[in-house]
Amino acid sequence: MAVDQDKLMEFLLKFVGDVGATMAAGNVLVGDRLGLYRALTGGPLRPEALAERTGTHPRYVEEWLRGQAAGGYVEYDVESGTYGLTEEQAFALTDPDGAVFAPGAFQLAAGALRAQEQIIEAFRTGGGVGWHEHDPDVFTGCERFFRPGYAANLTTTWIPALDGVEDRLRAGARVADVGCGHGASTVLMAQAYPASVFVGSDYHAGSVKQAEIRAADAGLNGRVSFETASAQTFGGGPYDLVTSFDCLHDMGDPLGAARHIRESLAPDGTWMVVEPAAGDSVAANLNPVGRVYYSFSTFLCVPNAMSQTGGYALGAQAGEAPIRRLASDAGFTRFRKVAENPFNMVYEARP
């Protein structure tokens, strides 16, 4: 075997970076759970001071800080021996209501990796691993990861981009939020449009229970309700708006879901489809965002689809063309992309 040493070293540097990133996931969660990042928002601290402020042991904190500095997650000042956060690091690491909350993504990833043995077996057998079979950190991490993006975009950019939908929501509409998980999207919409009524649904009973708690905590009882049901069986209607956030590609029967959504809509209703940002070819997705989505999809999205009937396993990088085709096959006559950002694409489908 003729090995090019320069190319080998280039690959080994990728490998070293990935090993560091893998262990960084656990360390980010330590920093989040123990309040280490939040304690640094008040200004740079020496390890001893940070440990005292957070009720932790200074030797552990010192090693944690060194690793965080090496990875670029905190800043180290050589002269003072202190560690601190830049405004950007603090924004991404300490604010669960900001546009980006990195610890949520790491919690989701760490939870997903706990299913390694089940995923390996699924590779061998072609079977599936249902969403409900994963570690609870998958459900909580998913909410903490996706909610900030929804909070930043849902009512400010995505819904206003739909044809006439925001006016109807302000006047009073019926909305079904399909695959709602812990109800982050449902609650955000209900808070923004108090004249409308919202029904969230998810096949995972544990997530529905958490969604009910979220709605109650937000004081939305009476306008928001939830049911344990799949995207192919949710009840109610006719709805003025049906939404599906980052879940269509997880389904074994997305066509059945699209048909049921079509049947549940009012004649002039709208289906808003939010899916991960993706091109329509593998080559178009060979980038850092595509890598994240393909990796999550291997552990979460495809196994969940394979655990269900229907014959589909779109994966998180399906792109626009398959979604458009599903909408058309389900009887929707109008379909367009209305918004996008580096992480999401938003589509509008109408009868």
Side-chain angles (χ1 to χ4, degrees), residues 184-245:
S185 50
T186 323
V187 168
L188 287 167
M189 289 189 290
Q191 290 173 323
Y193 305 107
S196 293
V197 175
F198 297 82
V199 180
S201 61
D202 198 284
Y203 95 91
H204 182 224
S207 290
V208 169
K209 184 176 295 186
Q210 287 300 316
E212 291 172 340
I213 293 171
R214 300 290 191 274
D217 289 345
L220 297 172
N221 288 341
R223 286 199 305 112
V224 176
S225 61
F226 296 93
E227 66 167 328
T228 301
S230 71
Q232 297 82 16
T233 62
F234 68 91
Y239 294 105
D240 302 293
L241 174 67
V242 175
T243 59
S244 59
F245 293 91

Side-chain angles (χ1 to χ4, degrees), residues 315-330:
Q317 292 288 269
E320 180 176 349
I323 309 302
R324 179 184 294 274
R325 187 163 55 251
L326 281 170
S328 176
D329 291 346

Side-chain angles (χ1 to χ4, degrees), residues 159-192:
I159 287 178
L162 302 173
D163 187 11
V165 169
E166 186 165 49
D167 288 340
R168 298 183 70 173
L169 290 171
R170 287 174 175 161
R174 285 184 53 78
V175 182
D177 189 13
V178 176
C180 68
H182 283 189
S185 50
T186 323
V187 168
L188 287 167
M189 289 189 290
Q191 290 173 323

Side-chain angles (χ1 to χ4, degrees), residues 277-341:
D280 285 331
S281 68
V282 172
N285 298 319
L286 300 183
N287 53 60
V289 172
R291 183 191 188 197
V292 168
Y293 279 133
Y294 278 132
S295 298
F296 272 120
S297 191
T298 303
F299 265 70
L300 295 173
C301 311
V302 169
N304 184 71
M306 296 285 280
S307 75
Q308 300 175 354
T309 59
Y312 285 83
L314 292 173
Q317 292 288 269
E320 180 176 349
I323 309 302
R324 179 184 294 274
R325 187 163 55 251
L326 281 170
S328 176
D329 291 346
F332 289 90
T333 61
R334 288 170 287 176
F335 183 92
R336 67 187 181 105
K337 182 170 65 177
V338 298
E340 66 177 301
N341 60 38

Side-chain angles (χ1 to χ4, degrees), residues 117 119-127:
E117 291 305 317
I119 298 302
I120 289 173
E121 184 63 18
F123 265 72
R124 292 192 176 111
T125 65

